[in-house]
Amino acid sequence: MFGTIFNTMMIIAGSLIGSIFKKGIKEEYHEILMQAMGLVALGLGINSLVQHLPSSKYPVLFIVSLAIGGLIGQKLKLESRFNSFVNKYSKGNLAEGLSTAILLFCIGTLSILGPVEAALKGDYTYLLANGTLDGITSIVLASTFGIGIIFAGIALFTWQGSIYLIAILMKNSLSNDLLNEVTIVGGILIIASGLSILGIKKCNTLNLLPSLLIPPIVFLFMHLFHL
């Protein structure tokens, strides 16, 4: 868990530094930082698709995952509930920033493969690299959205910690194909977040989050029935 702890601490440190910068940044600079973060999200999401979609053995699975996951999220009203909760304790657009931060930090190749490599091989290279990148990103996000970005560190710790434990428990059955499919869906969610930040199209990204659960469920079903 050393790598995950390092990754989390980098986000916390970056958020604290960024929140200090926020107090001295003029409005026009906040706006350009917002645009920068939107473009970063688009770039990372597109890169994830370009890297992993050609390797997919189930090219329809991400479509089904997004459709089913979106319906579940809409039914549960995840987006509106999350926004209402965050807005109770903050002003401005922290909810949008926090949801974007969680996606950027948690749904990426390094953040998913890092805990797996740490659990199976004791290799922390991915997590150390990811922590450094997340630390820099959190500075920019916090300087734009505020200190609340620090809570994305808690989400990342829970996410990577869960993957770490699952990898230990499922050493022989955890497949690269499953990780590939989850990363594809995650890439699309990051793109949706980027579109929202840039004001191109308001996407209810949080309502699509259950989509990430569909590939593991499908793979578990195939494993149980030897499909």
Side-chain angles (χ1 to χ4, degrees):
M1 292 290 287
F2 165 74
T4 294
I5 293 173
F6 171 79
N7 203 159
T8 303
M9 295 306 296
M10 288 296 289
I11 292 175
I12 293 174
S15 298
L16 291 172
I17 295 172
S19 66
I20 295 173
F21 288 159
K22 179 180 174 65
K23 297 177 181 179
I25 297 179
K26 295 181 180 179
E27 183 62 31
E28 62 261 32
Y29 296 117
H30 280 294
E31 184 177 347
I32 196 65
L33 283 174
M34 285 279 287
Q35 293 177 10
M37 284 299 94
L39 291 172
V40 166
L42 280 180
L44 291 174
I46 292 171
N47 180 65
S48 182
L49 287 183
V50 170
Q51 283 189 338
H52 296 276
L53 193 55
S55 303
S56 175
K57 295 181 179 178
Y58 311 93
V60 180
L61 181 55
F62 80 94
I63 301 174
V64 175
S65 298
L66 287 166
I68 296 177
L71 290 174
I72 294 173
Q74 187 67 37
K75 179 66 176 178
L76 296 176
K77 299 180 179 179
L78 296 179
E79 181 99 8
S80 59
R81 290 182 178 181
F82 178 81
N83 290 340
S84 297
F85 176 78
V86 173
N87 289 334
K88 282 183 180 179
Y89 305 97
S90 67
K91 297 179 180 179
N93 52 356
L94 175 60
E96 182 179 28
L98 189 54
S99 63
T100 300
I102 292 172
L103 287 171
L104 287 176
F105 295 152
C106 296
I107 314 302
T109 303
L110 294 177
S111 191
I112 294 174
L113 294 182
V116 175
E117 290 287 309
L120 302 184
K121 303 177 183 178
D123 185 353
Y124 297 101
T125 303
Y126 284 168
L127 287 176
L128 293 177
N130 196 58
T132 303
L133 292 171
D134 287 351
I136 296 172
T137 304
S138 63
I139 292 175
V140 179
L141 285 170
S143 67
T144 305
F145 297 103
I147 187 63
I149 296 299
I150 202 170
F151 291 108
I154 300 174
L156 175 121
F157 183 83
T158 304
W159 170 257
Q160 288 190 357
S162 300
I163 294 176
Y164 182 86
L165 294 175
I166 291 172
I168 292 177
L169 296 173
M170 301 177 61
K171 284 186 177 181
N172 298 323
S173 56
L174 192 65
S175 73
N176 289 328
D177 290 337
L178 171 57
L179 296 177
N180 193 63
E181 297 303 324
V182 172
T183 304
I184 291 171
V185 175
I188 294 175
L189 296 186
I190 294 174
I191 290 174
S193 182
L195 292 174
S196 294
I197 293 176
L198 292 171
I200 297 174
K201 171 64 178 179
K202 173 60 180 175
C203 301
N204 296 327
T205 312
L206 289 178
N207 284 346
L208 292 169
L209 274 183
S211 304
L212 293 168
L213 299 176
I214 305 303
I217 293 173
V218 171
F219 272 72
L220 177 62
F221 180 84
M222 291 191 298
H223 177 73
L224 292 175
F225 293 94
H226 306 286
L227 298 176

